[in-house]
Amino acid sequence: MTSSTTTTVAESASLDILPPALLGSIMTKLDVSSICAVASTSKTFRTCAYQILSFLPNFHFIDIAPPIHLLRPLLPSNPYLLSLKIDCSRLDDSAIDYLLRPSLQELFLRNCADFSGNLLSQIGARCKDLRFLYLNSVAEKRGRSIHVSDLEEVLSGCSQLQSLILMFDVSMFLHLNFARAWALASTNLTSLEIGYISSKMVTELLSPSIVPSQSGNQITTPRSLPNIQKLCLSVDCITDTMVSMISRNLTSLTHLDLRDSPIMEPTVTLDLTNLGLQNLNPHGKLKHLSLVRSQEFIASYFKRVNDLGVLLMADRCSSMESICLVGFCRVTDTGFRSILHSCSNLYKFRISRGTKLTDLVFHDITATSLLLTHVSLRWCSLLTNYAVISLASNRDLVVLDLRDCRSLGDEALRAIGSLPRLRTLQLDGTDISDIGLSYLKQVSLHSLISLSVRGCKRLTDKFISLLFDGQVSTPLPLQELDLSNIPSLSDAGILLMVKSRVLISELRMRQCPLIGDMSVMALASMQAGDGQGCGSCLRVLDLYNCGGITQLSFRWLKRPYFPRLRRLGVTGTMNRNMVDALAKNRPYLHVSCRGEELGTDPLNMSDELYMHDYEEVDEFEQWLFDDIDREIDDDIDDDDDIDDGEDMVEDDEDMVEDEDMVED
Amino acid sequence: MSSKKMITLKSSDGRIFEVEEAVAQESQTIKHMIEDGYGNSVIPLPNVTGRILYKIIEFCTKHVAVEEDIKQKSVEPTVVVEDVKQKSVEPTVVEDVKQKSVELPVDDDAWDAEPSDIDEWDAQFIDVDESTMFELIVASNYLNIKRLMDLSAQAIADMMKDKTVEEIRKIFNIQNDFTPEEEMKIRNENSWAYE
């Protein structure tokens, strides 16, 4: 089509001239969807591809969710298959024969909602050599069930298992049977992650206590999971008992990740206190610690942990490399500073909802020898530009997350703009303006891959021209852009962005009232000069609740436009039949019409990055939230809260009734 | 070190190249020729043009130099062995390595493997137009230089990744030799690859 030499090859050279063995060695380096695409080009490649499929060691097919008829020809008998990754949304138990092979060492199955527990027992029976297993959403569809015997079979069958990730709810199993099942697990198991489990089950699972058997005699169970190094659990409520049990019994633990989402305010006996923190890391091996209290159901915090607990913990954790503390509203600068100064190997520092965190924490960060690379300070509203300027002395920063730090402005961006290795920058809900973003142009923009400015109300179309104009010569690495909730962003801005030929693969423009059909048309049809339209590299496009989207846009969302689009967000309520027609036209496009966030990389299991709980907060609600912060401050004045448990529960229940807070 | 022996290579278009023996032996084909006794005369390479041979020699020279550096800088191996023996209770080093090999395939820390200098050099080396790349892979296949074959195969694979069928045909100049019926059938099977 174009005559530029970078895309077409000289007349004489064509890939066909290579001998088949060479073609094979090239194609084995591709993922399965690319192999299929290449196979469809010509006969030579087709035969080559089908030969490869019979000895390919890695079968990774995660681009779409294949139905069984598509999958069957792609999975011939292959005794060399080592690693299998598939999205099983359209598969069920009948696919087990094709998926499970005895040679497998890595198995990664997402969205197994239509499978029954049989999947687990079959894995135990057939894949004896398995080292790594990831299962997500097993048997979540109505009518499917898992039994604890299935769990027993997979644990006892896969005796070489090193890493196990079960992202589904195991809390429905009977505690006794569940604990016994884990005794069958292989001693090679070093990494365990469970989607949801109750803290009581964890405690029972790990305690080497005497268990009454059914015959009335007492039997001692051997210690379960002795060699675990990495433990990631999502529980109902993090308690001191559970944390102490974990710390005491798992002697090789280097990586601990605990997350909870209480449905009611935890009482004093069932919560994490300073005591629990003190008991952490008795063997001094912990390198990564993450304690997260998510506000999925109620606004809850680790109210019983203060500076003392954190200080004592920091003393013990001098080899810590990564720390993530979410919901520690009572810890002040003293506590956070002690972490920065005691842990000299720290490179990931993530604090969220640190309502008392101020600039003082980073005031003398240059005195430490820290080389921070990932910093996340979300919902730390007391932070100002000064803190960011101090932070920017860490020149190795790669990920910087300053979402919802409302006091940050353009001066902070001036400091950020000089970071040479920055790849991810999130400034949602901050007080930046167009000029501020233009500071990124100096240095950071040339390494930045993901930029998010969701909800930055002062931004207008101008920042796009300030940022992207004049960049045509060297292509920017920017791939992900989140421009949601910006009231002044209009079609003109998107047109500017498309003209500047930035090759975005994920674009989110949720709830922008001025974005309309023009933007969709611009994204779909602009050609970027080297034969690829800008629309052709978009994989994720979120237009939920955009003011100007009408039926016209849907015509531009059909084929052949947006050839790589895999996830689309639109408002489905108004355009139901258009959405259905689109789904028929593009069966492998995932359309979200009810406003759900479009996940990014479906394999990214750390959901922290996109855990948005965004509803438009008006001034009244904001006043209510500030009220909660004030409540928390008032609690500080109370004594060491042992008797306050009851009072606090009552107060918070009132608070929950008053607000209209909806957390996604 | 003894004086380095020079090997003479002749490309298809008659150009003569003199290289050190160590560099020439990066190519298994040439290595076998030397072992068979042809090392003292000019080795003809009728399948490789001068331009490509020049690039290949550049590649091999660089990698031989890097390996020399590594050999000289390597820590005393004997001490490491003894440490492992004594620390039989806590062989942390060995186990760390094992753990890494089965690391979760999608760690969000995947970024932190900073490319080493030689990887960057390789990336720049292979950043050439398609026809040169094809000639490189054919030549490295003929000369049996594994590292260069892998590098060029990976580069070509990267160019093929994530492209629709039409785009691949265009970039690599592939002729569509399917009949219309076959084309229809394939399109139906792999409809998502054409999107």
Side-chain angles (χ1 to χ4, degrees), chain A residues 324-575:
Chain A
C324 175
L325 300 173
V326 176
F328 287 80
C329 62
R330 287 216 189 177
V331 180
T332 72
D333 292 337
T334 322
F336 294 125
R337 242 179 112 257
S338 71
I339 298 174
L340 288 177
H341 286 261
S342 316
C343 309
S344 51
N345 295 338
L346 201 68
Y347 67 89
K348 285 196 195 182
F349 186 64
R350 296 191 175 133
I351 307 288
S352 190
R353 298 191 201 274
T355 36
K356 295 202 170 352
L357 191 104
T358 75
D359 299 345
L360 278 175
V361 177
F362 305 105
H363 175 66
D364 53 358
I365 196 164
T366 43
T368 68
S369 55
L370 285 180
L371 291 166
L372 292 173
T373 55
H374 291 56
V375 173
S376 171
L377 299 163
R378 201 170 173 194
W379 280 305
C380 298
S381 34
L382 293 176
L383 277 185
T384 71
N385 295 333
Y386 180 68
V388 180
I389 296 173
S390 316
L391 258 179
S393 60
N394 285 287
R395 311 301 288 162
D396 285 341
L397 273 175
V398 170
V399 171
L400 189 55
D401 174 2
L402 298 166
R403 290 181 281 178
D404 301 299
C405 292
R406 287 177 260 140
S407 321
L408 293 182
D410 292 345
E411 281 305 309
L413 272 170
R414 203 200 288 261
I416 293 173
S418 60
L419 293 169
R421 295 198 195 190
L422 200 61
R423 288 201 191 185
T424 303
L425 179 60
Q426 294 172 293
L427 297 164
D428 305 2
T430 55
D431 192 30
I432 56 174
S433 73
D434 300 328
I435 312 283
L437 278 179
S438 69
Y439 294 138
L440 289 178
K441 214 170 160 176
Q442 319 152 11
V443 179
S444 300
L445 201 58
H446 300 282
S447 55
L448 209 58
I449 294 185
S450 168
L451 175 64
S452 173
V453 287
R454 198 184 266 222
C456 293
K457 301 268 162 51
R458 286 171 58 192
L459 292 178
T460 70
D461 290 337
K462 201 152 163 261
F463 84 88
I464 297 192
S465 62
L466 285 175
L467 210 50
F468 297 131
D469 264 356
Q471 295 289 350
V472 190
S473 46
T474 45
L476 287 178
L478 194 65
Q479 287 174 17
E480 295 165 19
L481 196 53
D482 190 341
L483 306 170
S484 311
N485 294 61
I486 299 179
S488 318
L489 186 71
S490 73
D491 293 338
I494 299 301
L495 257 163
L496 272 170
M497 186 186 84
V498 172
K499 277 205 191 117
S500 67
R501 295 167 192 183
V502 185
L503 297 174
I504 306 282
S505 63
E506 289 186 21
L507 181 62
R508 288 153 214 271
M509 297 187 290
R510 295 165 65 91
Q511 313 205 79
C512 291
L514 298 177
I515 295 290
D517 297 335
M518 279 296 297
S519 297
V520 179
M521 292 199 280
L523 287 170
S525 57
M526 282 305 275
Q527 300 289 322
D530 62 343
Q532 286 185 26
C534 181
S536 73
C537 36
L538 264 180
R539 295 178 156 271
V540 175
L541 180 61
D542 199 347
L543 299 164
Y544 176 69
N545 210 10
C546 277
I549 301 288
T550 69
Q551 301 201 338
L552 180 60
S553 295
F554 284 89
R555 237 177 285 161
W556 287 84
L557 286 169
K558 290 196 177 153
R559 285 193 244 161
Y561 303 111
F562 297 107
R564 282 196 191 77
L565 199 63
R566 293 282 176 240
R567 286 165 181 271
L568 175 68
V570 285
T571 316
T573 46
M574 316 263 251
N575 307 304

Side-chain angles (χ1 to χ4, degrees), chain B residues 57-141:
Chain B
I57 290 171
E58 188 188 337
F59 182 85
C60 298
T61 317
K62 175 74 182 181
H63 278 263
V64 165
V66 165
E67 272 176 32
E68 285 289 326
D69 271 346
I70 293 176
K71 261 188 227 161
Q72 284 170 5
K73 282 185 196 159
S74 69
V75 190
E76 312 82 83
T78 48
V79 176
V80 173
V81 170
E82 262 164 53
D83 273 352
V84 172
K85 270 194 222 157
Q86 282 161 8
K87 287 191 190 161
S88 54
V89 181
E90 238 185 11
T92 46
V93 176
V94 176
E95 256 162 27
D96 269 342
V97 172
K98 255 205 276 183
Q99 176 63 16
K100 278 203 165 63
S101 61
V102 203
E103 195 67 58
L104 289 180
V106 278
D107 212 341
D108 72 71
D109 302 346
W111 73 273
D112 59 357
E114 279 291 338
S116 62
D117 290 330
I118 189 63
D119 291 333
E120 279 190 29
W121 189 92
D122 280 348
Q124 279 189 332
F125 176 83
I126 204 67
D127 189 13
V128 292
D129 58 279
E130 280 79 358
S131 49
T132 314
M133 220 185 280
F134 295 162
E135 290 183 62
L136 270 176
I137 194 172
V138 173
S140 60
N141 184 36

Side-chain angles (χ1 to χ4, degrees), chain A residues 39 101 112 122 124 127 135 190 319 322 328 332 362 370 390 408 464 472 491 518-519 623 638 640 658:
Chain A
R101 312 283 173 102
C112 312
Q122 288 299 312
C127 303
L135 293 173
T190 51
S319 59
S322 161
F328 287 80
T332 72
F362 305 105
L370 285 180
S390 316
L408 293 182
I464 297 192
V472 190
D491 293 338
M518 279 296 297
S519 297
W623 179 76
D638 301 342
D640 279 6
D658 282 347

